[in-house]
């Protein structure tokens, strides 16, 4: 499980889950995924999502406002309950965690300090946890891409949230139909951002996944593999075709394709290049109109 969202039960208005409730849910996840990793994303509220508490004055621009990790870091007690619950569950399976909406190094360090604090508390209480659990940063804001080398020193992996990374890179609201045609996953700037992220990750010896919708676009898998993405996190129904597509590709050819794509000036050309490679490698999975 590459992205286990927690906002649905954390923000349920009728019931506010305690640390114990959360621990139970995460242990259940750990037991079900067994030896396979499951990455829990800490609370990502705001933007198009619900707010953790009614705002006295609504955010004038919610997508640039109080969302993601900003909310958690402003509510450390609430955040620590979630961190402690995740840590406690890590004793029961291969649980990892990642922080959403990281814009730079200070937020990453503040998160890590709170994790260490929680580990210290749990140790003192005699509670078991996996001290080596994987901790990642979501890369979904352009500023995080630009300082990815520094962030990479603080975490075990990157998970690129392309849904947001595209929206913030090309300044296109992801839920506004009027500008939907400008929301291009293969915009050259987005492709270069992904490459900058994987390059920074490999310099630091950590891995990079994608957990946005782009990971499930079968036409783009040759490009993403060539850009150095190590893991694709997709919805349950998309796992089989994505796995089949990956098994049909040659890594060397994907790398050459990605280099070509990085030199292309338009999103249409980049999309076409990857789409054609996908069609050649796994024609049965590719819709010719797509
Ligand atoms: C993303 O931004 O790509 C992502 C996975 O998170 P969400 O769509 O929940 O913001
Ligand atoms: Mg996001």
């Amino acid at each position: 499980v590459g992205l286990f969202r927690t906002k649905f039960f954390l923000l349920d208005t009728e019931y506010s889950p305690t640390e114990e409730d959360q621990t139970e849910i995460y242990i259940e996840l750990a037991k079900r995924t067994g030896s396979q990793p499951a990455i829990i994303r800490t609370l990502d509220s705001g933007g198009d999502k619900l707010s953790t508490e009614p705002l006295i004055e609504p955010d004038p621009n919610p997508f640039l406002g109080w969302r993601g990790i900003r909310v958690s870091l402003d509510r450390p007690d609430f955040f620590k309950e979630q961190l402690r619950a995740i840590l406690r569950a890590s004793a029961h399976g291969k649980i990892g965690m990642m922080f959403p909406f990281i814009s730079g190094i200070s937020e990453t360090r503040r998160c890590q300090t709170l994790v260490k604090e929680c580990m210290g508390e749990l140790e003192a209480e005699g509670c078991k946890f996996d001290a080596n659990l994987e901790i990642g940063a979501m890369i979904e804001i352009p500023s995080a891409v630009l300082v990815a080398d520094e962030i990479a020193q603080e975490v075990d992996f990157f998970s690129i949230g392309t849904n947001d990374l595209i929206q913030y890179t090309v300044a296109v609201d992801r839920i506004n139909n009027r500008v939907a045609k400008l929301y291009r996953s293969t915009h050259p700037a987005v492709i270069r951002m992904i490459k900058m992220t994987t390059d920074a990750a490999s310099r630091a010896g950590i891995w990079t996944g994608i957990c946005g919708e782009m990971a499930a676009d079968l036409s783009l898998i040759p490009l993403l593999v060539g850009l150095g993405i190590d893991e694709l996190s997709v919805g349950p129904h998309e796992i089989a075709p994505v796995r089949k597509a990956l098994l049909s590709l040659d890594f060397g050819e994907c790398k050459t394709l990605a280099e070509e794509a990085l030199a292309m000036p338009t999103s249409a050309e980049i999309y076409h290049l990857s789409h054609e490679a996908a069609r050649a490698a796994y024609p049965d999975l590719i819709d010719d109109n797509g």
Side-chain angles (χ1 to χ4, degrees):
V1 176
L3 165 61
F4 183 81
R5 292 182 154 94
T6 58
K7 63 177 182 276
F8 303 112
F9 60 86
L10 277 182
L11 299 181
D12 191 326
T13 45
E14 303 203 346
Y15 135 98
S16 191
T18 60
E19 178 184 322
E20 293 309 314
D21 298 330
Q22 290 192 63
T23 306
E24 232 172 83
I25 293 169
Y26 304 149
I27 288 179
E28 182 66 27
L29 169 72
K31 285 187 176 158
R32 289 201 201 182
T33 48
S35 60
Q36 298 295 326
I39 299 170
I40 299 172
R41 175 171 73 179
T42 63
L43 178 65
D44 186 12
S45 69
D48 59 335
K49 297 150 191 156
L50 300 165
S51 180
T52 44
E53 55 196 76
L55 296 174
I56 298 155
E57 282 179 40
D59 261 356
N61 195 343
F63 276 113
L64 300 180
W66 201 51
R67 61 164 295 195
I69 203 64
R70 300 167 184 182
V71 175
S72 297
L73 288 173
D74 284 349
R75 297 287 178 271
D77 293 342
F78 179 77
F79 189 28
K80 277 179 70 181
E81 281 180 15
Q82 181 167 37
L83 295 176
R84 285 172 54 98
I86 296 171
L87 287 169
R88 288 170 64 184
S90 72
H92 299 261
K94 211 163 177 301
I95 291 292
M97 70 167 106
M98 63 184 181
F99 309 120
F101 215 59
I102 290 288
S103 68
I105 188 74
S106 329
E107 285 161 348
T108 318
R109 286 188 180 145
R110 285 173 65 201
C111 290
Q112 291 286 24
T113 304
L114 288 172
V115 171
K116 296 263 149 36
E117 220 172 281
C118 292
M119 284 183 172
E121 289 170 11
L122 291 172
E123 219 166 83
E125 291 162 27
C127 271
K128 286 209 182 94
F129 61 90
D130 174 7
N132 296 314
L133 89 166
E134 284 206 300
I135 300 182
M138 283 190 71
I139 303 292
E140 49 185 349
I141 304 181
S143 61
V145 175
L146 296 175
V147 296
D149 275 313
E150 285 79 5
I151 298 177
Q153 299 304 318
E154 306 288 328
V155 293
D156 303 309
F157 67 91
F158 285 154
S159 185
I160 306 181
T162 46
N163 304 342
D164 277 317
L165 185 61
I166 299 166
Q167 121 165 308
Y168 294 115
T169 300
V170 293
V172 174
D173 182 344
R174 66 192 241 192
I175 54 171
N176 181 340
N177 280 336
R178 277 200 193 135
V179 287
K181 64 178 184 302
L182 294 173
Y183 187 91
R184 293 267 166 81
S185 53
T186 52
H187 190 295
V190 172
I191 299 309
R192 291 172 203 178
M193 290 263 173
I194 294 174
K195 182 70 164 72
M196 287 168 76
T197 306
T198 56
D199 281 349
S202 56
R203 279 192 288 273
I206 65 172
W207 60 271
T208 306
I210 288 194
C211 63
E213 296 301 323
M214 190 177 178
D217 186 335
L218 295 172
S219 294
L220 296 182
I221 293 179
L223 175 62
L224 297 179
V225 169
L227 288 170
I229 293 295
D230 302 293
E231 186 189 280
L232 298 170
S233 167
V234 300
H237 299 297
E238 291 147 350
I239 294 172
V242 167
R243 184 194 297 268
K244 197 169 168 206
L246 284 169
L247 291 172
S248 320
L249 291 168
D250 176 89
F251 184 49
E253 284 172 19
C254 291
K255 270 172 86 170
T256 310
L257 178 143
E259 269 158 36
E260 215 180 307
L262 286 162
M264 285 178 159
T266 67
S267 56
E269 284 165 279
I270 297 171
Y271 194 91
H272 182 74
L273 181 76
S274 188
H275 176 75
E276 287 306 311
R279 198 156 62 109
Y282 39 89
D284 51 321
L285 295 177
I286 293 292
D287 168 7
D288 242 343
N289 305 316

